[in-house]
């Protein structure tokens, strides 16, 4: 009681695997996670789910486009994530800042109204990379770093609403 389980089934994008392999492995992983949560009688309405998106491996010669990532990710979630789960806070998992935002935005534009869960972000790298680069450890760059963080946070907040341009 009084605990919010953070459930983070992440299939890494490190490697040369195709989006098909990522989809297959993610679906198996998410299914097993929810099977185990059910066995442990975890209240699904009280968890924070932090899954990966369905993407091509970083070293794959064929990188899936934004629409395919959005469609595959939603299909995988529909096949595995119970409607009791309140939302999915995606990991950026090594995606570029722009791709992580664009993928989330496309999911919310195309599928958001038809899903039982809210789709949002729990990005580390995709929020911090630009501000850290702008700062570069120099105190005189602090305001530039803050502006970069605000820009990334605003972009991802808009993507959660399907309003990122």
């Amino acid at each position: 009681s009084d605990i919010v389980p953070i459930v983070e089934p992440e299939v890494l994008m490190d490697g040369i695997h195709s989006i098909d392999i990522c989809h297959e492995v993610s679906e198996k992983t998410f299914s097993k996670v929810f099977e185990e949560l059910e066995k442990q009688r975890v209240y699904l309405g009280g968890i924070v789910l932090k899954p990966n998106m369905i993407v091509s491996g970083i070293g794959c010669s064929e990188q899936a486009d934004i629409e395919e990532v959005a469609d595959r990710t939603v299909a995988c979630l529909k096949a595995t994530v119970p409607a009791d789960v309140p939302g999915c806070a995606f990991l950026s998992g090594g995606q570029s800042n722009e791709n992580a935002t664009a993928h989330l935005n496309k999911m919310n534009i195309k599928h958001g109204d038809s899903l039982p869960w809210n789709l949002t972000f729990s990005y580390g790298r995709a929020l911090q990379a630009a501000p850290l680069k702008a700062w570069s450890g120099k105190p005189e760059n602090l305001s530039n770093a803050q502006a970069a963080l605000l820009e990334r946070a605003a972009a991802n907040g808009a993507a959660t609403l399907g309003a990122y341009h």
Side-chain angles (χ1 to χ4, degrees):
S1 71
D2 299 322
I3 299 176
V4 175
I6 298 173
V7 180
E8 192 170 321
E10 181 180 15
V11 173
L12 300 176
M13 64 184 293
D14 299 345
I16 60 169
H17 57 276
S18 68
I19 193 169
D20 294 330
I21 297 296
C22 181
H23 191 148
E24 178 184 335
V25 172
S26 296
E27 195 165 308
K28 286 179 183 177
T29 301
F30 298 172
S31 293
K32 185 65 173 173
V33 164
F34 282 102
E35 180 183 312
E36 292 300 322
L37 290 171
E38 185 178 326
K39 283 182 188 176
Q40 297 302 317
R41 299 185 316 269
V42 172
Y43 172 61
L44 297 181
I47 71 168
V48 174
L49 180 65
K50 294 175 57 173
N52 57 279
M53 292 182 192
I54 308 304
V55 296
S56 308
I58 196 91
C60 183
S61 59
E62 290 186 38
Q63 291 294 309
D65 66 18
I66 291 167
E67 187 146 355
E68 184 176 8
V69 169
D71 291 346
R72 291 287 198 107
T73 301
V74 168
C76 185
L77 295 174
K78 283 182 172 181
T80 59
V81 179
D84 297 352
V85 173
C88 300
F90 290 104
L91 301 163
S92 54
Q95 298 178 66
S96 71
N97 304 344
E98 295 79 15
N99 281 350
T101 304
H103 292 149
L104 177 60
N105 189 61
K106 182 60 85 173
M107 280 185 262
N108 278 306
I109 287 173
K110 194 168 179 187
H111 304 284
D113 292 339
S114 66
L115 299 175
W117 338 273
N118 291 316
L119 302 181
T120 189
F121 63 96
S122 178
Y123 301 158
R125 207 171 324 168
L127 278 176
Q128 298 170 1
L132 287 171
K133 184 176 180 183
W135 175 53
S136 297
K138 298 176 182 171
E140 64 270 21
N141 293 338
L142 185 58
S143 63
N144 291 340
Q146 290 171 330
L149 178 60
L150 181 59
E151 181 181 324
R152 294 307 320 144
N156 288 299
T160 296
L161 302 172
Y164 174 68
H165 303 295

